[in-house]
Amino acid sequence: MIKITMSVFVGLFLCFSNVDASIHEYRMEAFSPKANAYFFHGGSEGLYASKLHEPTTASSSEIKPSFKGKSIISFDLVTFLRPKESAKSQQEMQQNTGLVEAIILEVKDRERIGGASLKSGAICCNKQLADQGSCKLGEVIIQNNPDNFGWPKRIKTFFQGTNEEAKMDFETVEINSTGMYYLYFMFCDPQLKGTLIKGRTVWKNPNGYLPGKMAPLMTFYGFTSLAYLVLGLAWFLRFVQFWKDIIHLHYHITLVIALGMCEMAVWYFEYSNFNSTGTRPMGITLWAVTFGSVKKTLSRLLLLVVSMGFGVVRPTLGGLTSKVVLLGVIYFVATEALELVEHLGNINDFSGKAKLFLVLPVAFLDACFILWIFSSLSKTLEKLQMRRNLAKLELYRKFTNALAVSVLLSIAWIGFELYFNATNPLSEFWQIAWIIPAFWNMLAYALLVVICVLWAPSRNPTRYAYMEGMGEDSDEEGIALTGNSGDMAMKLERQAIGDDLEEDKRE
């Protein structure tokens, strides 16, 4: 099991160890045919309009200092390599023997690429359309946007003579309108079939290299790390104040708070570094993903053991311990794999099928946790009702209500996510996409706060702690409830405790 887990993580690490983010690298990748054209998707990101508009110049080795406050897409060392047969079929003295076009468009202008407006299914201009004067033979059909002169943007690169390589000039395109931008490299000449692309493009927003849909998350993680810090300080003060009355459950809660604090802080640092450099810092991202996976696993285990009444209704989990640990290990492996692929993969080119393959196990395991938690809660409430332990019963009813609300919110939010993704295939609503991951973090934090409030350390731990003999509150409640039947309540309590111990042994 451990060897398989390590193999999965090593494989994922090797797959993504060279993947950049806002700096999109192309490593000898091929063009795909579509209609009468060949294209390669060079990237897509949400970009905000530039804050400054003064003309600037910069070399390929000096991008950051020259474009402060600007939103840009720059082409750095982009090179096209055509097959030898195609190069040899050309005349050595001929100047232009093959054309590759880089096309940048805002998503709302996607219908302006190709012959849709000309009532043609072609992408490249053919002889019939050229004779009509609608386009230029051998080039991609582009209908300019009258409201945004020069867009969609077209950048041409020609092969010369019999050369097998054609290098794009270093060029920077300034973005002056906020939107979701797509970059495609395309050619129309069938003789260029088999052409490969290498090099990189740099995408930058006015405030840094974070893609537009991720930029608000840096601020969110900053505020969330402070929220965890406040919760951690409040819990620590309470922990120290009543350290003599601490139970095992309090240590578990402390660990979850500490992991949440570390996770949010590391994510903030990772996004800040990403924003400054344009590449995801591999080591920091791995730590952030691992902290997050461990915290998610322990949070679910915390909800499960609390629902089982560990430390409150029963002193141990008995034979269930191995099953709980096994479920936790499997969930950690599935979550870590999904998070690694999502955060170390390319920003915009992640396969939907691959993601579905990793999302389904996590969703199934979450469903297992939910069913087991509510099943355990039902048994715990039944035991507390039988013992007539009002203090603990009220505590667990509050916890059950909070958990039920969180599940209903989760189901509603999943429905919203499905609707959002179904109606936003081209990321047109990228400016609000950050609220989806933010919601899950806030829901987890809210549940943790509820647990901290309900199970806060106090001078009277018997109100939620398991007692070997008769609990102090049990005696009082039994007398108050039964009056002259107090002896009967005490007998029932002792019998219930004995049954719990026998149940733990059996499990």
Side-chain angles (χ1 to χ4, degrees):
M1 178 71 178
I2 296 175
K3 288 183 178 179
I4 294 174
T5 303
M6 290 300 294
S7 300
V8 171
F9 290 155
V10 169
L12 288 171
F13 179 81
L14 292 175
C15 286
F16 300 117
S17 59
N18 294 316
V19 175
D20 291 322
S22 283
I23 299 178
H24 296 263
E25 292 206 10
Y26 318 122
R27 302 179 179 90
M28 301 298 288
E29 297 177 71
F31 287 69
S32 302
K34 186 173 183 180
N36 62 340
Y38 293 83
F39 80 100
F40 173 77
H41 184 202
S44 57
E45 286 183 18
L47 296 173
Y48 292 95
S50 298
K51 294 180 179 179
L52 301 174
H53 301 286
E54 295 86 356
T56 56
T57 56
S59 64
S60 60
S61 62
E62 188 180 334
I63 297 174
K64 291 197 296 183
S66 302
F67 295 103
K68 186 176 180 180
K70 289 200 168 191
S71 188
I72 61 163
I73 302 173
S74 65
F75 298 82
D76 189 14
L77 303 176
V78 176
T79 304
F80 306 104
L81 297 93
R82 61 180 172 181
K84 290 183 179 180
E85 296 76 12
S86 175
K88 289 180 180 178
S89 65
Q90 306 297 327
Q91 296 180 10
E92 187 173 354
M93 301 303 294
Q94 191 173 347
Q95 187 175 7
N96 299 328
T97 56
L99 170 63
V100 181
E101 299 175 78
I103 297 171
I104 304 172
L105 68 147
E106 196 177 346
V107 67
K108 65 183 182 182
D109 291 331
R110 59 187 179 276
E111 298 297 330
R112 297 183 178 278
I113 304 298
S117 60
L118 303 176
K119 298 181 180 180
S120 170
I123 295 177
C124 293
C125 187
N126 53 36
K127 189 175 186 303
Q128 180 182 357
L129 294 173
D131 290 342
Q132 296 173 2
S134 303
C135 52
K136 199 170 181 179
L137 186 63
E139 294 185 0
V140 175
I141 303 169
I142 296 180
Q143 300 296 317
N144 290 325
N145 186 345
D147 299 325
N148 191 3
F149 180 75
W151 286 86
K153 183 75 67 177
R154 184 205 308 261
I155 303 172
K156 299 179 181 180
T157 301
F158 291 95
F159 286 92
Q160 303 295 321
T162 58
N163 292 340
E164 294 179 21
E165 288 190 4
K167 291 184 179 180
M168 283 188 70
D169 295 331
F170 176 79
E171 186 155 352
T172 298
V173 177
E174 185 175 340
I175 305 299
N176 294 319
S177 176
T178 299
M180 172 59 69
Y181 287 85
Y182 280 73
L183 167 63
Y184 291 99
F185 295 96
M186 306 179 74
F187 63 82
C188 301
D189 188 351
Q191 291 187 346
L192 293 179
K193 182 179 179 180
T195 296
L196 304 176
I197 181 175
K198 66 178 181 178
R200 68 176 193 170
T201 54
V202 179
W203 304 58
K204 179 184 174 296
N205 270 295
N207 295 324
Y209 290 91
L210 270 178
K213 62 183 177 181
M214 297 174 66
L217 283 173
M218 185 172 72
T219 304
F220 171 79
Y221 285 132
F223 281 113
T224 310
S225 62
L226 290 176
Y228 270 99
L229 180 61
V230 171
L231 178 62
L233 286 174
W235 180 263
F236 177 75
L237 292 175
R238 193 86 178 177
F239 194 96
V240 171
Q241 185 179 0
F242 304 105
W243 66 273
K244 291 183 179 179
D245 301 310
I246 296 301
I247 61 176
H248 288 296
L249 190 61
H250 291 144
Y251 292 104
H252 195 150
I253 295 172
T254 303
L255 180 59
V256 173
I257 294 173
L259 285 170
M261 199 184 308
C262 292
E263 180 197 10
M264 294 299 106
V266 173
W267 273 125
Y268 176 78
F269 185 69
E270 195 263 4
Y271 273 50
S272 179
N273 193 301
F274 182 7
N275 194 47
S276 300
T277 63
T279 58
R280 305 201 80 152
M282 185 64 59
I284 301 174
T285 306
L286 284 172
W287 275 109
V289 166
T290 303
F291 271 129
S293 299
V294 172
K295 191 205 78 174
K296 286 178 183 177
T297 303
L298 290 182
S299 297
R300 282 155 179 75
L301 291 177
L302 174 60
L303 293 174
L304 182 57
V305 298
V306 166
S307 302
M308 289 177 171
F310 173 67
V312 180
V313 177
R314 56 199 299 174
T316 68
L317 296 179
L320 290 174
T321 302
S322 58
K323 296 178 182 178
V324 171
V325 171
L326 179 62
L327 180 60
V329 170
I330 295 174
Y331 185 82
F332 169 75
V333 172
T335 305
E336 182 81 353
L338 175 61
E339 294 292 322
L340 282 174
V341 172
E342 281 192 334
H343 293 286
L344 298 181
N346 190 288
I347 281 294
N348 60 299
D349 296 330
F350 185 55
S351 169
K353 291 183 180 179
K355 187 171 182 178
L356 184 65
F357 176 76
L358 294 170
V359 166
L360 285 178
V362 175
F364 174 76
L365 291 170
D366 273 326
C368 290
F369 267 113
I370 292 172
L371 292 174
W372 199 355
I373 286 170
F374 278 99
S375 174
S376 300
L377 270 175
S378 177
K379 293 178 182 178
T380 301
L381 289 170
E382 186 179 346
K383 288 180 181 179
L384 292 173
Q385 284 177 336
M386 182 182 67
R387 297 180 188 180
R388 299 181 179 181
N389 192 325
L390 292 185
K392 293 178 182 178
L393 184 60
E394 182 64 20
L395 186 72
Y396 267 86
R397 279 177 176 166
K398 290 179 180 178
F399 175 66
T400 302
N401 291 338
L403 205 57
V405 169
S406 70
V407 170
L408 290 176
L409 287 174
S410 298
I411 293 172
W413 194 256
I414 289 172
F416 169 74
E417 277 194 52
L418 292 173
Y419 172 78
F420 182 85
N421 291 325
T423 58
N424 189 40
L426 298 175
S427 301
E428 293 179 77
F429 307 119
W430 57 276
Q431 288 176 286
I432 61 172
W434 67 274
I435 66 173
I436 291 178
F439 171 83
W440 295 113
N441 280 292
M442 291 306 299
L443 184 62
Y445 179 80
L447 268 178
L448 185 57
V449 170
V450 169
I451 291 176
C452 289
V453 171
L454 294 178
W455 276 270
S458 69
R459 286 193 179 88
N460 182 25
T462 56
R463 69 187 176 91
Y464 48 65
Y466 178 85
M467 303 300 292
E468 284 292 337
M470 281 300 300
E472 296 172 8
D473 57 339
S474 298
D475 291 338
E476 295 171 3
E477 290 164 9
I479 293 169
L481 285 168
T482 60
N484 295 331
S485 304
D487 291 339
M488 182 62 71
M490 292 172 67
K491 288 180 182 179
L492 289 172
E493 180 76 11
R494 289 193 184 97
Q495 183 181 354
I497 292 172
D499 292 343
D500 284 345
L501 292 173
E502 289 298 322
E503 184 182 344
D504 289 342
K505 290 178 183 178
R506 289 195 302 270
E507 289 173 347

